[in-house]
């Protein structure tokens, strides 16, 4: 194990972020959630933060030598976390 500066903080599970977004879309306030918590059929309004909030994505695996795991991690590094097209359109329309 290498020595890394910083610590891994716990993050809410996807279901909690998805639920928060759905409650906001239903008119029960606002929610700050990652775009990865939104589905292509999300009915609420989506806005970008100014300035943008950027977070690192960390992958932990018990089998780093597994070829399929390595391919997945390389693909994630290359392409990033996918954002559904309808959400991306809302985000870029406001810029």
């Amino acid at each position: 194990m290498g020595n890394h500066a910083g610590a891994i903080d716990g993050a809410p599970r996807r279901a909690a972020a998805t639920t928060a977004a759905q409650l906001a879309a239903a008119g029960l306030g606002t929610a700050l959630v990652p775009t990865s918590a939104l589905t292509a059929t999300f009915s609420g309004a989506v806005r970008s933060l100014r300035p943008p909030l950027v977070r690192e994505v960390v992958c932990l695996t018990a089998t780093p030598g597994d070829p399929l795991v390595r391919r997945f991690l390389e693909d994630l590094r290359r392409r990033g976390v996918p954002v559904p097209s309808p959400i991306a359109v809302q985000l870029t329309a406001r810029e």
Side-chain angles (χ1 to χ4, degrees):
M1 291 289 218
N3 186 7
H4 300 282
I8 297 175
D9 294 328
R13 297 188 184 275
R14 177 185 160 95
T18 301
T19 300
Q22 290 170 342
L23 290 170
L28 298 174
T30 59
L32 177 61
V33 299
T35 53
S36 60
L38 304 175
T39 64
T41 58
F42 179 70
S43 63
V46 179
R47 302 292 183 266
S48 296
L49 295 176
R50 300 273 187 243
L53 177 63
V54 180
R55 297 189 69 175
E56 289 185 18
V57 174
V58 178
C59 296
L60 305 174
T61 177
T63 56
D66 182 287
L68 186 58
V69 170
R70 284 199 315 261
R71 281 182 56 195
F72 171 76
L73 295 176
E74 286 302 320
D75 190 46
L76 186 60
R77 281 187 201 110
R78 188 176 67 254
R79 295 177 37 190
V81 178
V83 176
S85 296
I87 302 302
V89 167
Q90 285 191 59
L91 292 173
T92 57
R94 303 282 180 203
E95 293 180 0

